[in-house]
Amino acid sequence: ADCQDSTACRNMADTMAAPTVAFASLESSSQAASASFIQHIRQTLQKAQEITQVVSEAESIAEDAQKFCDAIKAQHNMQSKKLALTGKPSAPVPPLAASLTREIQTSVVWTQSMLQMCNTAESSADIARGSKLKFVQKSGSAPAQ
């Protein structure tokens, strides 16, 4: 691409740069801003769960289709082109939905920790100097304050 126009160069650089994710909220208090932020995160996670469900369904359909293809190949004693050319069967593709689910679970834990940090920051309770704050809770235990 020709980069003689400085605006064109900046636009090209912006396009190639990593995407930036930002959140801004003008609220009357930091507690309201925190609540708005957490609500935004929850909506994003909900959308991610919906996408994961669709991906899971697509993977299930693809797996069923692969089983039908394998059955047809076996019935007609056919060999896949990849196996015939390389002598190695193609490696199975790892399921994407499971990976997405793990990422969502990690994000939920992060969101809970973020909410606890916001609550601690908004609290009027004194925090002793040098005290150790814990925001990630073990399952079944009460959140640390």
Side-chain angles (χ1 to χ4, degrees), residues 45-63:
L45 290 172
Q46 178 63 38
K47 188 67 173 173
Q49 287 174 328
E50 292 168 8
I51 291 168
T52 300
Q53 181 61 36
V54 171
V55 168
S56 178
E57 290 170 9
E59 287 178 334
S60 178
I61 291 168
E63 185 178 323

Side-chain angles (χ1 to χ4, degrees), residues 27-105:
E27 303 289 344
S28 59
S29 69
S30 58
Q31 184 175 10
S34 298
S36 179
F37 177 60
I38 296 300
Q39 180 61 29
H40 179 72
I41 291 170
R42 287 182 177 144
Q43 289 170 344
T44 302
L45 290 172
Q46 178 63 38
K47 188 67 173 173
Q49 287 174 328
E50 292 168 8
I51 291 168
T52 300
Q53 181 61 36
V54 171
V55 168
S56 178
E57 290 170 9
E59 287 178 334
S60 178
I61 291 168
E63 185 178 323
D64 289 345
Q66 184 62 49
K67 288 177 186 176
F68 285 124
C69 289
D70 292 343
I72 291 168
K73 287 177 190 175
Q75 185 178 11
H76 295 284
N77 198 20
M78 295 168 49
Q79 191 177 43
S80 74
K81 288 181 183 178
K82 178 148 183 137
L83 179 59
L85 293 174
T86 65
K88 301 179 203 171
S90 45
V93 178
L96 180 60
S99 176
L100 291 173
T101 299
R102 283 190 298 277
E103 290 296 326
I104 291 169
Q105 290 168 343

